[in-house]
Structures are given as C-alpha cells and as structure tokens.
Amino acid sequence: MSLLPTLIKACYFLAALLFILGLKRMSSPRTARGGIVWAGVGMLLAVLATFFLPDMHNRSLIVAAVLIGVSAAWWTGRRVAMTAMPQMVALYNGMGGGAAAAIGAVELIGYARALGLLHVVPNTSPLQPESWAINGLPPMLSPVELSLGVLGALIGTVSFSGSLVAFAKLQGWMDKRFVFPGQRVVNMLLLAAAVVVGVVLASGHVSGPLIALFFVLALLFGLLMTLPIGGADMPVVISLYNAFTGLAVSFEGFVLGNEAMIIAGMVVGAAGTLLTQLMAKAMNRSIGNVLFGSFGAAGGEAQAIEGAQKPVEASDAAVMMAYAERVVIVPGYGLAVAQAQHKVWEFAQLLIKRGVKVKFAIHPVAGRMPGHMNVLLAEAGVPYDLIADMDEINPEFPATDVALVIGANDVVNPLAKTDPASPIYGMPILDVSAAKHVIVIKRGKGTGFAGIENALFYADNTRMLYGDGQAAAGQLVNELKSLDD
Amino acid sequence: MSLLPTLIKACYFLAALLFILGLKRMSSPRTARGGIVWAGVGMLLAVLATFFLPDMHNRSLIVAAVLIGVSAAWWTGRRVAMTAMPQMVALYNGMGGGAAAAIGAVELIGYARALGLLHVVPNTSPLQPESWAINGLPPMLSPVELSLGVLGALIGTVSFSGSLVAFAKLQGWMDKRFVFPGQRVVNMLLLAAAVVVGVVLASGHVSGPLIALFFVLALLFGLLMTLPIGGADMPVVISLYNAFTGLAVSFEGFVLGNEAMIIAGMVVGAAGTLLTQLMAKAMNRSIGNVLFGSFGAAGGEAQAIEGAQKPVEASDAAVMMAYAERVVIVPGYGLAVAQAQHKVWEFAQLLIKRGVKVKFAIHPVAGRMPGHMNVLLAEAGVPYDLIADMDEINPEFPATDVALVIGANDVVNPLAKTDPASPIYGMPILDVSAAKHVIVIKRGKGTGFAGIENALFYADNTRMLYGDGQAAAGQLVNELKSLDD
Amino acid sequence: MIDGFLALYIFMLAAFCGYEIIARVPVILHTPLMSGSNFIHGIVLVGAMIALGHAQTPFEITIGFVGVLLGAGNAAGGYVVTERMLEMFKSSKPGAGKGDQG
Amino acid sequence: MIDGFLALYIFMLAAFCGYEIIARVPVILHTPLMSGSNFIHGIVLVGAMIALGHAQTPFEITIGFVGVLLGAGNAAGGYVVTERMLEMFKSSKPGAGKGDQG
Ligand SMILES: NC(=O)c1ccc[n+]([C@@H]2O[C@H](COP(=O)([O-])OP(=O)(O)OC[C@H]3O[C@@H](n4cnc5c(N)ncnc54)[C@H](OP(=O)(O)O)[C@@H]3O)[C@@H](O)[C@H]2O)c1
Ligand SMILES: NC(=O)c1ccc[n+]([C@@H]2O[C@H](COP(=O)([O-])OP(=O)(O)OC[C@H]3O[C@@H](n4cnc5c(N)ncnc54)[C@H](OP(=O)(O)O)[C@@H]3O)[C@@H](O)[C@H]2O)c1
C-alpha cells in the first residue's frame, strides 16, 4: 500500500474512533460538551482526507457543494430558536437520508450505464478497476453490494421524505393531520411495491425507468407514512428516521468500501433504534402505537368535568407566593412557546431572595422533546440542584404551599389517573393538586397536546392566571418588586 | 466461496455473537446464568466447525487432545470447593495463555522451517497456499502478522507462567513471598530482553535457538513478576492475566485469520482490563501498587493497642442474640476458610424464627475475591434481601443490638479510620463497633490479610468467641436449640 | 471490496457499540443525543463526495451534487445544533459560573 | 489474510464492546465475570486445533498437541467453574425457591 492511501485510511480510522468516543462522552451530562467536539474533529479529518483520494473528478463541484451546504446549514443552525430544535434535527436528518439515497442513485445509474442499458456512451470506460480501487464505486457491484446499495437507498429515501414531513409539521406548515380511510392499506401496498421493485433491481435488472419508479415509490411511502402522525409524536418519529439514516449510510458505506461510513452509520443505527425505544417508553407508548396508532383521534366519551375555572389577578398570585414557605414551579410546553424561561427564573430568584424555598419540577415528557424543559431552564441559567424530576418531587407536593404551573397541561392532568377513556390514561403525572394552592398560567381555555380537558383547572384549590407565559411571568416579577418597595 | 467454508465461517460468526451476548447477560445478576450457557453454545459451535475445516491433518490427535483436556478440566472444575474458585480460574487462564503461546510457537517454528533455516526437510512442501486457504497458517507471514504473532506469544507466555504461580500460591503450595534485593530491576531487564528478542523475531530473523530463547525469557519474566505478589492480591493479578490471555488470543487469531478468535480475545482483553481496574479500586489500591507495591511488607510503626481481648462462652453469646431485637452478621475470609456458611445460615434462621431481625452485612472486599461472601451465602441459600452492602448497613449499626463478626478482621478494623501508618488506612470499613454488643468468632489471635492488630477486638463492647468458624456456629446453633427445649 | 463476513462482523460490532453506549442514558440527554448521532451520520458527506467524484454523465453529476449538498447540510447543521444544546447543559452544572451562558 | 486496517477496525470495535459491557457492573459479579471472560478466551482452543491440524514435524505436532490440551482445559474448566458460580447466584434470588440449591 502506498503512503497516501494509507494516510487516508488512517484518517478514516481515526474518524470512526473519534465518533465512538464522542458519542460515549455525549451520553453523560458531565462530558457531553467535549463529546461533540471530538466527533467534529473526526468529521473534519474524514472530509479533508476524502479530498485527497486519487482519481476523484469534479473537485470544484465538490468544493462548491460542500461550501454551500455547510454555510447554509451553519447559518440556520446558529440562528434557530431553542424551541425549534426538534424540527431542525428532523431537517438535517432528512438531508442525511437524502444524501444516502443520492449515493445509492448514482451507484445504480452508474451500474445501469455499465450494463449498457441506458445506452449512454460514457466519455471514459466505466470499467476501470484501478481508478476505483481505494474508495471509489466499483463499476460492477457484487450481488451483496447491489442488494445493500438498494436497501440503503430505500431506507435513506424514506427517511428523507419522512423527515421533511416531520419538519414541516413541527414548523407549523402543515397543521392538520392527513388521514383518509384505508390509509394503512395504501401505505402497506406502497411499501410492498417499493420492496418488489428493489428486489428486481438488486437481482441485477437495473434500468433507468425502474430506478425512477423505485425512488418515487420510496418517496411516496415516506411521505404518506408520516403524514398521519400527530405533531407531538414527532420526536419519536424523528429519532426513528435518525436510526434509518444511520442504517442507510452504513449500507452505502459498504458499497463504497468505506469503513468509517459503515461503522458510524451502524453505530447511529443501533443507538437511534434504542433511543427511539427509550423515548417511546418515556412517553408511555409503544413505537407501533406512535407509527400506526390513532392517538387522541377517536377515544371514548371523555369524563365530564364539573365546576368552573376560577381566575386570579397577578397581584394576588404574587402575594401568595411571596409569603409562602415552599413554591414548586412546573413548566410545560407553553413555557417553551412563550419563551418565558428567563422571566420565570427572574421571578424565582426574587422569591429565593425573600427566603422562599423554590424548586422546579420537570415531568419526563413535558414539552415536545425529551429534556425540552431541562434545556430551556439550563439556557436561562437555573442551577441543576433546583431542578427535581417526577419521582423526587411528587412526595413533596403535600408540603408545598403553592404549585405554579406555567404552560403545562397534560403532565399535570389528574384524568390520567382517574379516566380510563382518556388518551393519557396510565401516564404518571406530577401530583400538583396535592399542593395547598395551585396557580396555573395559560393563555385561555386551550387544551394541551392530548386535546383533552384538565380536571386540575377546575379544582377548588386552583386559580387561573390567564395570559401569555412570558407576559404573566413579567407581571409577577413586577408585582413582587413593588412588594419590596 | 463454496458451501462448507461458508458454513464454517457462519459458525464462527455465530460464536462471536453468542460470546458477546453471553458476556452482556453475565454482567447483570438477573440474566447471568443464561449468559454462560449462550457463550457455551457459541464455543461448541466454533469447536465443531473447526473439525470440518478442509486440509486439517492429525485429526485423531486433535480429538484425543480435546477429549483429554476437556474431561480433565471438567472433572476438576466440578469437584473443586467454592473457596478454591480463584485458583481454578488462574489455572484455566494459564492454560489459555499457554495455548496461545503454543500457537505462536507452531507459527514461528513453521515460519523458520519455511525459511529453510532449521534445515528440516518437510515431508510436504510448507508452501502450499491452497491448503492453508481458509483458516490455516499462512506459510509466509506478512510483517504485521509476524509481529502480532510474536506479541501474542509473549503475552500468552507471561500469562501462562504468571497464572501458574498465582495458582500455586493460592493453593498454598508456595506460602512465602519470594523477594530479593534488586528484584524489580531484574524483572525489567528480563522483560527488556524478551522484547528485544521478540523484535528480532518479528523482523523476520526467525531461527530455532532464538525462538527457544524468546520463550524461556518470557516464561521467566512471568514467573519472577508474579512471585513477589502476596497471595491475597492474587485476584487482581489473575484478572490482569485474564486480560493478557484475551489479548494473546486476539493477536494469534489475527495471524490465523480467525475472526472469532480476534473478537472474543479482544472483548476479553478490554473487559478484563476494566475489571482489573474496578477490582483494584474496590480494594482501594492501584494496579501498579498491586504489581510492584510492597503491601504490608514495610509499613510504619503500628499504633499500640491498649487493653485485653475478653472471651465469651458460646452459651452466653447465644442467649445475647436470642433475646436481641436486631442482629447483624458480618462474614469475612474466615467464614470461607471454615466453610461455615451453612451453619451460620442455620443459626440465622433459628434467630429469625424467634422473631429477631437478622441481616448479613457484606464488605466489598471481604474474603479473597470480589463477591466472595455473596457467593458463599448464596450457596448456603441466604435470600438476597437479607444481605446488605456497606453503605446500606453502616447507618444501621447504632440501632443494632448484636453484631456477630465471623472470620472477618481487616474489613471491621477501626484502625483504617484512625491510624495513618496502617496499611489499610483509608479503606472504608463496616462500622460494627457502633453496635451495642459485638461478638467476634475467630480461632485465636491470628491477624487478617493485612497482618495487623485490630482495635475492635480490644473494645469494651466486644467479646471474643474463640474457635473454628464452623464449629463455633454449630455450638451457637445447639445452644439456641437447647434454649427452645 | 470488503469480504462479506468481515463486513458482517463490523456491522455486528458497531451495532453493539452503539447500543451499549446509549443504554442507560438519562431522559434529559435524549434530545442532544439524538441530534449528536444525527451529526455522526453526517459522515454520509464523505460517501456523497466519492459518488460525485466518480459521477460521469451530467445527470449523475447533478444527483451527486445534490447528495454532497445534503450531506454537508447534515454534517454542519447537526454539529451546530448539537453543540448549542450541549453548551447549555454544561453551563447548568453546579459549580460552573451561572452568568456565562448565552 | 485480513487487511490490516480492517483488523484494526475489528480490534477497536471489539475492545469497545468489551469495555462498554463491563462498565457499571456491581462488585458482587466481578468474580463470575472474570471467570466467564476466562471461559470466552477458551476460543483459543479453535486456534490450537488449527495449529495442530497444520503442524508437520513431530516437534510442531507435540507443541500443537499441548496447545490443544491446554486450550480444551481453558474452555471446559472455565465453563464449569463459571456455571457453578452463576448457578448459585440464580438460586439466591428472592422469589426463586430456597430449597433447590446444592
Ligand atoms: N417531551 C416529549 O418528548 C414529548 C414528545 C411528544 C409529545 N409529548 C407530549 O406533550 C405533552 C406535554 O405536556 P405539557 O404539559 O408540557 O404541555 P401540553 O399538554 O401540550 O400543554 C401546553 C399548555 O400550554 C399552554 N400554552 C400554550 N402557549 C402558551 C403561551 N404562550 N403562554 C402560556 N401558556 C401557553 C396551552 O394552553 P393555552 O392554549 O390555553 O395557553 C396548553 O394547555 C404530553 O402530552 C406529552 O406526551 C411530549
Ligand atoms: N475480596 C477481595 O477481592 C480481596 C482480594 C484480595 C485481598 N483482599 C483483602 O482481604 C482482606 C479481607 O478481609 P476479611 O476481614 O474478610 O478477612 P481477613 O482480614 O483476612 O481476616 C480473616 C480472619 O479470619 C480468621 N479465620 C481464619 N480462619 C478461620 C477459621 N477457620 N475459623 C474462624 N476464623 C478464621 C483469622 O483469624 P484467626 O487466624 O485468629 O482465626 C483472620 O483474622 C482485606 O484486607 C482485603 O483487602 C480482598
């Protein structure tokens, strides 16, 4: 082996090593930050090494595409609000799936051309074993390579169109769930058709129209598969597509003979699959239920709730908390929508200064992505030790004077315990109603993700403070400050 | 690839998979039992497949050697007492190291023969590429293969002779620690010499005398390296040699082109290295300290202990515990020596029947191997929930009426807290002296592993019940039974 | 190019690595981990570069170009987003200064 | 026989697997795990069989024979000892019958 290829291979090896080490570090809060940097160094190494591969054509096009892609993604990634993270991950993931699909497409088209089926006269012979030697596409693929290439293209394409739908939904571009009768049957037929065409391709009958048909079917399947899924189930779906892209990358890496791609892709494939399961479990759902379930769609007759919501003024609420001994703040998705984390933390700090014992209670699925609230509170600077998780805080509510619920709904809904017809029945909740007083900040009578009424809002010890989360928290801050003057 | 080689390769693949899955299951108490069975199935598959490799000679010899080796090991392994487990593991591990070394030796000798340096006329040509095709030894090794082969042989040989010394020491065949001045320098020189000869071999200068010298040096190093290490440090050393053997197997597997060996060996190499670290940490030592330290050898002036040991009769001890509310039993190495676990559990059951709350407290390094006491108590049938670890039980001692220490010494020695000159200073201990009464069962005034006095035995609330652990426990049982009559 | 069995071994071992590394991760790290692993499969960029580097007809070149574009977006976007999230996790640690986050 | 880089990848991945699987194991399982991993490197038996199967001179055959003997001892002994230890662990579980252990 001559020097340059050895060096390039060494770079790929280092990249794979750094990816694994980086992922390892990312999975512990203490070392997470360093982990992404390690992985980043690995990526840089691998990309730089690839530029030096012998026998690469179109180098200027490559540089141009890399520069455009990187700067566009970098710019959007830097600018986007923290609350929009899930859809950005979906977008980037879809891009990865698309790239894997594109690799598969180039391979298949090249193969077809080599077979002479497309009747294109190549300017150079496609059969030049030497020039593809190290990491190029072999002009004639072995049956195993062809099969894995086709499989990777299928998975990558589904991940591509599926992730884009997920992005569009989370971004609010597609509010309605798209459901029609027999949808599941249509989806299954589409998938079956794509698989059949794929098998034909993998058996070596590669032709232009067949390739086109294959990709169209895969695209359609990803689209229709994702359309009926509710926006709030998306994090699980995105995680699944993330694993898909990983697998696709791994398989295409096999075809290209690139071990770094094989390993990185497979590691992500396995990790993503596990993550998806863990996420679904944290939401008290199964993956099948997320993908095919009709969450919140039908449901039985909901329990009727007696009583009325009792509003409260910001000034009264502020006084209640100012003279309380213990206050627990329960943030939910509304906090993220209102970007109220900074104001809420300012308010909490004022309370702490007055000697009130303040804690934040975070439900595992509060918000729209796992760890959503932790990220937001961390952004605002809330120290770790003030944040309690569900198991820790639930026994403390009876000794709590005021529970301040801000933008949370489903995660504090007692119907999850009492109403078997409710879509969230069985989900463990934060037991805020055990506190002496409950104050709920929300804009109006809007429901949460599950779209159901909340008995808590009608409870005797609950008072509603209507308003946008950030505005309401601001009022509380002002009231508290005027108390001190 | 024709069918048979593919099938054989598939068996090897399955074996590697089963090893990893088995190890995974072994590392959780719930699934541990199944894990070894899975790994065993993998081993069976791999061995059976190997019989069917094409171009194997000496098949009857192979069968004979396998049968003898398996039946001898099976027989000893079935018969040996639970307390002798560490030395058996050492023995089997040494055998593995020896086997790896033997593979390396056959490779090197074959290589030398191929070079024509040994001037032996082979009955068939050594250069028959086809016959070694799948998994045989390539007659001419590449430089990388030669280097890894030599490295594997070195590591395997050290593990072989070192493990045998460990076995002999634990078995009591070699009681004294073998120390002479300048020992460390001699060891280092031996290692350096072995490495130099190894480098010469790896550079392709393979000859009979050199091979012999290489193995002699490696054997000697393993021997001298292990001789000065105290018998009770052996578990850590055995774990280290276990990792060594794994590495040796992995490297020899590379030379043979056998992926199952590469993977299984490397997995054990990494796992064993980590286990060694974890074990050393649990003993509050570093690996370097275990290998080169002079634990308990020198040490400063020990604190003088005032007072006298106060003996107690078995009948009095039995009465004290029979009318106690809470009794905590603290087993140590002496329990293992006396094989007293069954009697002690019988005694504990009698107490429980009388309404006494009995718990067993296990120190992480009680006994002579990690989990030693857990294994023994489990053997006797003590249910899991009666067994508490150190962090759990220490706060409970003040509320304990009687702490029954049986054959434990170092793990209950208060000097670990108070005497900075003591070799065990800094090791967390079981806080038995906080109990209202302490009863200690031991044979006499013998010291424990660390060879130091124990202030606990002289404390005001401590009474000594002299005798062999099993005999003393038997007396207690009888006394308790006579109380009921 | 790679012997089928060797590839199988690598697939298997890599899958175990990924699985083992993620098992037992706390819920609060799920999103950054998802985004971090999303970044890691951005290595697809390398494959897309190779594909474009060997594309020959204009059509292949177009697809290859799109592939590189998408792959670069995956890698760069995945990195930025993950880094931003993890940065915040870091600053929330007790002991770390509380004023130094964005 | 195996390309050097591929071997390197396999070494690395296998090492990670071993490391990750053992990390976070309770102390009480250290000895059975040590003995279990001791069993697993008993796969050396396969290598010794291959070496003996290709040994040619009487000297090589002798060494190969000893190798197979030792390897078989490692595999069989490691299995028996580990199985005996783990069997006891199993019977100590609450819920499992308390009378069924040896
Ligand atoms: N964390 C995850 O990984 C994840 C993933 C997918 C789904 N989910 C699901 O999401 C739900 C999370 O529960 P949650 O309690 O956090 O949220 P939620 O049930 O979705 O409720 C959010 C509440 O915030 C209020 N709100 C919206 N915008 C607001 C603003 N600007 N200011 C103040 N209030 C505002 C809304 O009421 P108004 O409209 O009246 O203001 C709504 O009732 C669970 O059902 C969970 O299963 C979670
Ligand atoms: N667990 C591990 O992994 C491991 C590994 C290596 C080293 N170690 C070390 O081993 C020590 C373990 O402490 P330990 O308290 O369990 O044991 P120990 O300190 O070794 O003490 C054992 C005691 O048992 C008594 N004894 C011996 N045979 C007996 C018999 N037949 N009947 C009754 N008593 C008997 C001895 O006194 P008499 O002679 O007077 O009877 C001795 O004092 C620690 O220092 C630890 O660091 C542990």
Side-chain angles (χ1 to χ4, degrees):
Chain A
M1 220 189 288
S2 67
L3 187 64
L4 187 63
T6 308
L7 263 181
I8 293 175
K9 286 208 155 209
C11 282
Y12 285 149
F13 177 78
L14 258 180
L17 184 66
L18 285 170
F19 288 159
I20 294 182
L21 287 174
L23 197 58
K24 234 171 94 68
R25 297 179 75 86
M26 267 184 254
S27 46
S28 144
R30 234 171 8 86
T31 53
R33 178 74 187 296
I36 183 70
V37 176
W38 287 35
V41 172
M43 189 68 76
L44 220 57
L45 265 178
V47 172
L48 286 181
T50 307
F51 273 115
F52 292 96
L53 275 180
D55 285 313
M56 293 270 281
H57 305 285
N58 311 320
R59 283 184 201 260
S60 48
L61 278 179
I62 296 179
V63 175
V66 169
L67 285 185
I68 300 175
V70 166
S71 38
W74 199 276
W75 189 73
T76 51
R78 274 265 150 246
R79 274 186 74 245
V80 71
M82 270 299 147
T83 40
M85 281 299 163
Q87 54 261 50
M88 289 320 278
V89 174
L91 184 63
Y92 300 138
N93 181 53
M95 293 171 108
I103 297 174
V106 173
E107 283 159 358
L108 284 173
I109 298 170
Y111 187 85
R113 182 161 43 77
L115 283 180
L117 292 181
L118 279 184
H119 306 295
V120 175
V121 183
N123 43 356
T124 56
S125 155
L127 291 156
Q128 21 168 229
E130 261 332 283
S131 78
W132 307 73
I134 302 175
N135 273 299
L137 309 170
M140 296 310 288
L141 303 170
S142 76
V144 179
E145 285 166 340
L146 196 56
S147 310
L148 281 187
V150 170
L151 187 57
L154 174 62
I155 301 176
T157 310
V158 171
S159 170
F160 173 69
S161 59
S163 297
L164 291 191
V165 173
F167 168 74
K169 288 201 153 199
L170 287 178
Q171 193 72 349
W173 293 355
M174 241 188 216
D175 253 358
K176 281 282 143 272
R177 290 170 60 198
F178 175 78
V179 199
F180 58 83
Q183 190 168 30
R184 221 180 285 181
V185 178
V186 172
N187 286 356
M188 285 301 113
L189 285 179
L190 265 177
L191 178 61
V195 168
V196 168
V197 177
V199 170
V200 174
L201 286 175
S203 67
H205 298 85
V206 183
S207 72
L210 216 53
I211 299 176
L213 179 62
F214 175 67
F215 281 103
V216 168
L217 285 172
L219 275 174
L220 265 182
F221 173 69
L223 206 80
L224 287 183
M225 158 98 200
T226 322
L227 274 174
I229 299 174
D233 269 344
M234 279 306 162
V236 180
V237 177
I238 295 171
S239 176
L240 187 70
Y241 288 147
N242 189 31
F244 274 20
T245 305
L247 286 180
V249 171
S250 185
F251 294 154
E252 298 303 339
F254 174 75
V255 181
L256 296 175
N258 186 303
E259 293 94 353
M261 280 174 73
I262 299 184
I263 291 174
M266 192 49 91
V267 166
V268 173
T273 307
L274 183 58
L275 254 186
T276 311
Q277 283 168 354
L278 293 176
M279 280 168 121
K281 221 180 102 198
M283 291 178 60
N284 205 23
R285 318 268 309 268
S286 77
I287 296 181
N289 185 271
V290 168
L291 291 181
F292 307 114
S294 48
F295 186 70
E301 204 53 39
Q303 265 184 7
I305 295 174
E306 309 275 298
Q309 299 188 359
K310 295 163 278 298
V312 68
E313 289 301 311
S315 50
D316 297 339
V319 170
M320 272 167 78
M321 288 186 271
Y323 295 101
E325 204 174 317
R326 285 165 203 280
V327 170
V328 174
I329 302 178
V330 178
Y333 179 59
L335 177 93
V337 176
Q339 286 282 42
Q341 62 271 28
H342 298 280
K343 274 285 166 218
V344 169
W345 175 225
E346 191 183 340
F347 176 64
Q349 280 172 307
L350 289 175
L351 286 181
I352 291 170
K353 230 180 261 159
R354 297 183 65 96
V356 181
K357 296 209 179 80
V358 178
K359 277 196 185 170
F360 290 83
I362 298 193
H363 188 281
V365 299
R368 285 297 178 271
M369 58 180 186
H372 201 164
M373 293 300 123
N374 302 71
V375 172
L376 291 175
L377 294 185
E379 188 197 2
V382 179
Y384 221 70
D385 47 315
L386 292 190
I387 301 179
D389 62 22
M390 186 168 59
D391 298 333
E392 221 173 297
I393 201 80
N394 265 347
E396 294 185 20
F397 277 116
T400 299
D401 299 301
V402 182
L404 175 65
V405 175
I406 168 158
N409 190 337
D410 295 345
V411 299
V412 293
N413 194 339
L415 290 185
K417 288 184 179 172
T418 58
D419 182 3
S422 145
I424 59 170
Y425 183 69
M427 176 171 95
I429 59 158
L430 285 168
D431 225 355
V432 286
S433 52
K436 290 190 195 88
H437 302 278
V438 181
I439 297 174
V440 177
I441 297 181
K442 65 200 297 275
R443 294 166 308 180
K445 306 213 180 247
T447 54
F449 158 56
I452 53 169
E453 278 292 357
N454 190 334
L456 174 76
F457 303 158
Y458 299 87
D460 288 337
N461 58 343
T462 302
R463 294 291 174 277
M464 308 298 292
L465 178 54
Y466 293 117
D468 171 75
Q470 186 168 352
Q475 285 175 336
L476 287 177
V477 167
N478 292 339
E479 296 293 344
L480 217 51
K481 281 189 179 153
S482 65
L483 268 187
D484 292 333
D485 296 336
Chain B
M1 221 190 289
S2 68
L3 186 63
L4 187 63
T6 308
L7 264 181
I8 293 174
K9 287 209 154 209
C11 282
Y12 286 149
F13 177 78
L14 258 180
L17 184 65
L18 285 170
F19 288 159
I20 294 182
L21 287 174
L23 197 60
K24 233 171 96 67
R25 297 179 76 85
M26 268 184 253
S27 47
S28 144
R30 233 170 12 81
T31 53
R33 177 76 188 294
I36 182 68
V37 176
W38 288 36
V41 171
M43 189 68 76
L44 220 57
L45 267 179
V47 172
L48 285 182
T50 307
F51 275 113
F52 292 98
L53 275 181
D55 285 314
M56 292 271 281
H57 305 287
N58 312 321
R59 283 186 202 260
S60 47
L61 279 179
I62 296 180
V63 175
V66 168
L67 285 185
I68 299 176
V70 165
S71 37
W74 198 277
W75 190 72
T76 52
R78 274 265 151 244
R79 277 186 71 245
V80 71
M82 270 299 147
T83 39
M85 282 299 162
Q87 53 261 50
M88 289 320 279
V89 174
L91 184 64
Y92 300 138
N93 180 54
M95 293 172 109
I103 298 174
V106 173
E107 283 160 359
L108 285 173
I109 297 171
Y111 187 85
R113 184 161 44 76
L115 283 179
L117 292 183
L118 280 186
H119 305 294
V120 176
V121 183
N123 45 356
T124 56
S125 155
L127 290 156
Q128 23 168 227
E130 261 331 283
S131 79
W132 308 73
I134 301 171
N135 274 300
L137 310 170
M140 297 310 288
L141 304 169
S142 77
V144 179
E145 284 166 340
L146 196 56
S147 312
L148 282 187
V150 169
L151 187 57
L154 175 63
I155 301 176
T157 310
V158 171
S159 170
F160 173 68
S161 59
S163 297
L164 290 192
V165 173
F167 167 73
K169 289 201 151 200
L170 286 179
Q171 192 72 351
W173 295 355
M174 242 187 217
D175 252 359
K176 281 282 144 271
R177 289 170 61 199
F178 176 77
V179 198
F180 59 84
Q183 190 167 33
R184 221 181 285 182
V185 178
V186 172
N187 286 355
M188 284 302 114
L189 285 178
L190 265 176
L191 178 60
V195 168
V196 168
V197 177
V199 169
V200 174
L201 286 174
S203 67
H205 299 85
V206 183
S207 72
L210 217 54
I211 299 177
L213 179 64
F214 175 66
F215 280 104
V216 168
L217 285 171
L219 275 175
L220 264 182
F221 173 69
L223 206 80
L224 286 182
M225 159 96 198
T226 321
L227 274 175
I229 300 174
D233 268 344
M234 280 306 164
V236 179
V237 177
I238 295 172
S239 176
L240 187 69
Y241 288 148
N242 190 31
F244 273 20
T245 304
L247 287 181
V249 171
S250 185
F251 294 155
E252 298 304 338
F254 174 74
V255 180
L256 297 175
N258 186 304
E259 294 93 353
M261 280 174 74
I262 299 183
I263 290 173
M266 192 49 92
V267 165
V268 173
T273 307
L274 183 58
L275 254 187
T276 310
Q277 283 167 355
L278 292 177
M279 280 170 120
K281 221 180 103 200
M283 290 178 61
N284 205 23
R285 319 266 309 267
S286 78
I287 296 181
N289 185 270
V290 168
L291 291 182
F292 309 112
S294 47
F295 184 70
E301 204 52 39
Q303 263 183 9
I305 295 174
E306 309 274 296
Q309 299 189 0
K310 294 165 280 296
V312 68
E313 288 301 312
S315 51
D316 295 340
V319 170
M320 272 168 76
M321 290 186 269
Y323 294 102
E325 205 174 315
R326 283 165 205 279
V327 170
V328 173
I329 301 179
V330 178
Y333 178 59
L335 177 93
V337 175
Q339 287 281 41
Q341 62 272 27
H342 298 281
K343 274 286 167 215
V344 169
W345 175 224
E346 190 183 341
F347 176 65
Q349 279 173 308
L350 289 175
L351 285 181
I352 292 171
K353 230 181 258 158
R354 297 183 66 95
V356 182
K357 296 209 179 81
V358 179
K359 276 197 187 169
F360 290 82
I362 298 193
H363 189 280
V365 297
R368 285 295 180 271
M369 59 183 187
H372 201 164
M373 294 299 124
N374 302 71
V375 173
L376 292 175
L377 294 185
E379 187 198 2
V382 179
Y384 221 70
D385 46 316
L386 292 190
I387 300 179
D389 62 23
M390 186 167 59
D391 298 333
E392 221 173 298
I393 201 80
N394 265 346
E396 294 187 19
F397 276 115
T400 298
D401 300 301
V402 183
L404 175 65
V405 175
I406 168 158
N409 188 338
D410 296 345
V411 299
V412 292
N413 193 339
L415 291 185
K417 286 183 181 171
T418 57
D419 182 3
S422 146
I424 60 170
Y425 183 69
M427 176 171 97
I429 59 158
L430 285 168
D431 225 354
V432 286
S433 52
K436 291 191 194 87
H437 302 279
V438 180
I439 297 174
V440 176
I441 297 180
K442 66 201 294 278
R443 293 165 309 178
K445 303 208 182 251
T447 53
F449 158 56
I452 51 168
E453 278 290 358
N454 190 333
L456 175 75
F457 302 159
Y458 300 87
D460 288 337
N461 58 344
T462 301
R463 294 291 175 279
M464 307 298 292
L465 179 55
Y466 294 117
D468 171 75
Q470 187 168 352
Q475 285 175 338
L476 287 177
V477 167
N478 292 339
E479 296 292 343
L480 217 52
K481 281 190 180 153
S482 66
L483 268 186
D484 293 334
D485 295 339
Chain C
M1 316 191 72
I2 301 179
D3 167 282
F5 268 102
L6 277 179
L8 211 55
Y9 280 108
I10 291 186
F11 281 145
M12 172 189 79
L13 289 173
F16 269 112
C17 277
Y19 186 94
E20 286 298 322
I21 289 174
I22 299 307
R24 287 165 292 209
V25 165
V27 175
I28 65 158
L29 280 173
H30 281 177
T31 299
L33 258 184
M34 179 162 88
S35 137
S37 57
N38 174 37
F39 163 64
I40 286 175
H41 66 51
I43 188 72
V44 71
L45 170 57
V46 165
M49 287 166 71
I50 297 175
L52 176 51
H54 292 90
Q56 292 179 7
T57 65
F59 187 50
E60 285 173 38
I61 291 181
T62 312
I63 298 183
F65 187 84
V66 173
V68 175
L69 212 68
L70 293 175
N74 180 358
Y79 184 83
V80 170
V81 165
T82 310
E83 211 267 342
R84 279 185 60 192
M85 274 195 249
L86 290 180
E87 192 175 18
M88 293 184 328
F89 271 90
K90 181 190 148 222
S91 70
S92 75
K93 299 265 70 164
K98 278 168 203 164
D100 61 0
Q101 69 281 318
Chain D
M1 313 194 75
I2 301 178
D3 167 281
F5 267 103
L6 277 179
L8 211 56
Y9 279 108
I10 291 187
F11 282 145
M12 171 188 82
L13 290 173
F16 269 112
C17 277
Y19 186 94
E20 285 298 323
I21 289 175
I22 299 306
R24 285 164 294 205
V25 165
V27 174
I28 64 157
L29 280 172
H30 281 177
T31 298
L33 259 185
M34 179 163 88
S35 136
S37 57
N38 174 37
F39 164 64
I40 287 175
H41 65 50
I43 186 75
V44 72
L45 170 58
V46 165
M49 288 167 71
I50 297 175
L52 177 52
H54 292 90
Q56 293 179 7
T57 64
F59 186 52
E60 285 174 37
I61 291 182
T62 311
I63 299 183
F65 187 83
V66 173
V68 175
L69 212 69
L70 292 176
N74 180 357
Y79 184 84
V80 171
V81 165
T82 309
E83 212 268 339
R84 278 183 61 192
M85 275 195 251
L86 291 180
E87 191 176 17
M88 292 184 330
F89 271 90
K90 181 191 149 222
S91 70
S92 77
K93 300 262 68 163
K98 278 169 208 164
D100 61 357
Q101 69 281 320

